[in-house]
Amino acid sequence: MKAAPVREARVPMGARATGTRGEAARAWSAPAKRLAAQAGPPALLLAAGAAAWEWAVRAFGVPFYILPAPSRIFRVLVDDRGLLAGQAAVTLEEIFLGFAIAFVVGVGLALLICASRVVERAVYPLVIASQTVPVFAIAPLLIVWFGYGLPSKVAMAALIVFFPIVVNTVDGLRAADPDAVNLLLILGASPAQVLWKIRAPGALPFVFSGIRIAVATSVIGAVIGEWVGATQGLGFTMIHANAQLHIDLVFAAIVYLSLMAVGLFLAVSGVEWVALPWRRSAGA
């Protein structure tokens, strides 16, 4: 008696697509829930600080051109939202371009440093030493070299972002398991294959750590460039408003810059959570 043939269970295409979308949704919902749980205490502390600030300004009669109340700053955020959003778009463009340049150059240089002892001995100490130069000392030179337009602000943002990307990438590439590297070399793998199979995946958490630091500090670089010389951007808005004792607009610009930095940081954290599934499985 012949056994009945076993039919392979087929999953409908719609179900597969639904499952894929469900996995992506779960990948994004997990960090969102964790973020919501972590954001509660800081939000309460911020609200308490704003309430104390509001009370102190009203109780002691502090002039608005010295220290405006949070309610006045909020009113400026609403009334001048068009101006602030337009200037924020300019600053964001500077940040994105500076970050892109620094990322490409920084990762490329990190690969060269790890691949060549000569490059490491000649270049890496200079990269470390470059952080001893005050940023404000470089900004006027960039204005002279690149002018008051976009390039000088992009260069300043790139200089701020460059260091953490290079250092973290170098540390990540060096942190590869030496036993795994030696095993691949014994099996005849080329240095490029070792880089692609072992070093690069192991370096990704370090790279993302550097990127998180870089995107938060890139806001500082763009604003410093706008302070030294610019015709638009949130930094220019702050300098112009401060000269007119429009201090509430200065604080409104600071709110925008803070939200931009936090948003960029969270965006990078979300990309890392999705791009590194082994960290999710490990509960990282």
Side-chain angles (χ1 to χ4, degrees):
M1 182 176 179
K2 295 183 178 181
V6 178
R7 295 184 179 180
E8 180 182 359
R10 298 183 180 274
V11 180
M13 293 299 294
R16 294 179 182 177
T18 302
T20 303
R21 288 194 297 268
E23 292 176 359
R26 286 192 296 271
W28 282 103
S29 64
K33 292 179 180 178
R34 185 174 62 176
L35 174 62
Q38 294 176 349
L44 291 175
L45 182 60
L46 186 61
W53 179 357
E54 183 80 23
W55 174 84
V57 169
R58 295 178 181 273
F60 295 101
V62 181
F64 70 90
Y65 53 84
I66 299 295
L67 182 64
S71 59
R72 187 182 182 93
I73 298 172
F74 179 77
R75 195 179 315 121
V76 172
L77 287 169
V78 175
D79 295 340
D80 295 339
R81 59 186 180 278
L83 169 66
L84 291 168
Q87 302 301 326
V90 175
T91 304
L92 269 178
E93 181 182 8
E94 299 164 358
I95 292 170
F96 285 144
L97 292 175
F99 173 80
I101 293 172
F103 179 79
V104 173
V105 176
V107 172
L109 182 59
L111 292 173
L112 288 176
I113 289 173
C114 291
S116 172
R117 283 286 184 181
V118 175
V119 175
E120 178 183 1
R121 292 174 180 176
V123 176
Y124 200 49
L126 297 179
V127 173
I128 303 298
S130 67
Q131 297 305 295
T132 63
V133 180
V135 177
F136 274 105
I138 301 175
L141 298 176
L142 296 178
I143 297 297
V144 173
W145 295 337
F146 299 107
Y148 284 88
L150 182 66
S152 59
K153 316 307 176 297
V154 172
M156 177 57 68
L159 288 175
I160 294 290
V161 170
F162 178 74
F163 180 76
I165 290 179
V166 173
V167 172
N168 281 55
T169 304
V170 169
D171 289 343
L173 292 172
R174 287 175 173 173
D177 185 359
D179 294 334
V181 172
N182 292 331
L183 177 60
L184 259 67
L185 292 176
I186 291 173
L187 294 176
S190 64
Q193 290 174 322
V194 173
L195 173 64
W196 181 253
K197 297 292 186 181
I198 300 296
R199 295 192 184 276
L204 284 178
F206 293 83
V207 175
F208 273 108
S209 296
I211 292 175
R212 284 199 302 271
I213 299 172
V215 294
T217 56
S218 62
V219 177
I220 300 174
V223 171
I224 290 177
E226 292 172 353
W227 282 351
V228 175
T231 57
Q232 53 185 344
L234 287 175
F236 167 77
T237 301
M238 294 171 66
I239 293 295
H240 188 68
N242 187 67
Q244 297 179 339
L245 294 181
H246 199 353
I247 307 302
D248 45 6
L249 182 57
V250 175
F251 274 97
I254 292 175
V255 171
Y256 262 74
L257 291 171
S258 300
L259 292 176
M260 286 164 52
V262 172
L264 291 170
F265 184 91
L266 294 178
V268 172
S269 299
V271 173
E272 179 185 12
W273 184 265
V274 174
L276 305 183
W278 60 88
R279 297 193 57 141
R280 295 201 304 270
S281 62

